[in-house]
Structure formats: structure tokens, C-alpha cells
């Protein structure tokens, strides 16, 4: 059956379009962002699919607009020398970014002369575990977590 859009969405819902890259043994997380005026409806709802067997991509899928993006972090290795984009059987967690929002390109609102605060907290996705390799029963564990920037879809270790 055709998916039903959330009640607050008038446009065609994004899930009736396929992912850009097929994936298996991956994980997905959903990020909901609300505007600062306290509105009950999110201004953005994005699902992220993360790597997986036979896939080297991080994909984002905006469920309200239908916009899809994918990115491969190719040629970058973890400290053990293994490719960052070769990971399956992953488990992912959406967390507040390690770097404060004001230090990664967005301005903070000034509260007083010596204190700042941000309207939104930058998010990132941590993938603390997984296997590398695509051969069933031939995968090997990785020693280093992967971190995905939700804005750029770039993977780092």
C-alpha cells in the first residue's frame, strides 16, 4: 500500500520515492528539527541511512520535502588504515555534536558580554560498531567508531 503522509504535510510525501543507493545491514536514524518559536510541527524531518553491506554511502531523505542526497567518503581511512566507508552491521546513535554549533559555522545569539547560547544544537551520528567487508561470515570488526556530519554527510573517525 502507498505510505500515508503525516497530517501536517500537504505535498506528496517523500517515502514514495526509492533510496538513491540500495543498502543492507545498515542502520537508520531520524532527525526532527523544530523552529525556535515552539511550533508543535517539525520544520524538518530527515531519515539517514548509513553505509551497509554493498553500500558505501550515507543517504539523507527529507520526509517533508522529498529531497534526497547521498555522499560517499572515499579514500579516507581510520587510524588503523581501514576505509571509513566500508562498514556494515552498524548501530547508529544521533547525538549532540562534539564541537559546539558556534564553532562550526553558525553564529550564536549573544546573551551577555561573556555568555553565548545557540538556538539549535548541531547534531551528528555516531556509529560505534560494525564490520568491514561484504562477504557473509567473512567480515572483520573495526576498532574505531565512525562519525557522520548530518549537514555534509561526510564520515570521519
Amino acid at each position: 500500500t502507498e505510505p500515508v503522509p503525516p497530517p501536517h504535510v500537504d505535498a506528496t510525501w517523500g517515502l514514495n520515492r526509492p533510496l538513491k543507493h540500495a543498502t543492507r545491514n545498515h542502520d537508520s536514524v531520524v532527525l526532527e528539527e523544530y523552529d525556535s518559536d515552539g511550533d508543535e510541527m517539525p520544520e524538518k524531518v530527515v531519515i539517514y541511512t548509513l553505509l551497509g553491506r554493498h553500500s558505501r554511502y550515507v543517504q539523507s531523505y527529507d520526509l517533508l520535502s522529498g529531497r534526497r542526497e547521498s555522499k560517499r567518503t572515499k579514500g579516507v581511512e581510520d587510524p588503523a588504515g581501514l576505509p571509513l566507508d566500508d562498514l556494515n552491521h552498524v548501530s547508529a546513535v544521533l547525538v549532540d555534536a562534539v564541537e559546539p554549533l558556534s564553532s562550526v559555522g553558525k553564529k550564536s545569539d549573544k546573551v551577555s558580554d561573556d555568555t553565548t547560547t545557540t538556538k539549535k544544537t548541531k547534531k551528528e551520528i555516531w556509529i560505534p560498531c560494525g564490520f568491514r567487508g561484504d562477504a557473509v561470515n567473512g567480515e572483520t570488526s573495526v576498532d574505531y567508531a565512525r562519525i557522520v556530519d548530518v549537514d555534509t554527510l561526510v564520515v570521519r573517525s
Side-chain angles (χ1 to χ4, degrees), residues 36 102 106-112 115-119:
S36 59
S102 59
K106 294 191 179 181
K107 298 293 182 191
S108 297
D109 288 341
K110 196 82 162 156
V111 173
S112 69
T115 308
T116 59
T117 186
T118 57
K119 286 185 178 179

Side-chain angles (χ1 to χ4, degrees), residues 1-83:
T1 63
E2 187 71 19
V4 177
H8 63 283
V9 177
D10 294 327
T12 302
W13 198 36
L15 277 182
N16 63 354
R17 297 170 53 199
L19 293 171
K20 288 186 166 223
H21 306 280
T23 184
R24 295 179 8 191
N25 301 332
H26 66 285
D27 200 359
S28 298
V29 296
V30 175
L31 170 63
E32 292 182 341
E33 289 185 355
Y34 295 84
D35 57 23
S36 59
D37 65 6
D39 192 7
E40 289 184 25
M41 295 298 151
E43 64 181 35
K44 185 175 171 182
V45 180
V46 179
I47 187 168
Y48 296 89
T49 61
L50 307 159
L51 306 172
R53 181 173 284 140
H54 305 295
S55 175
R56 302 294 181 257
Y57 292 88
V58 172
Q59 300 179 82
S60 67
Y61 205 149
D62 187 314
L63 298 180
L64 301 181
S65 72
R67 181 178 179 185
R68 300 172 300 157
E69 293 184 57
S70 66
K71 177 119 184 174
R72 180 175 182 186
T73 303
K74 190 173 182 180
V76 181
E77 299 175 341
D78 69 13
L82 300 174

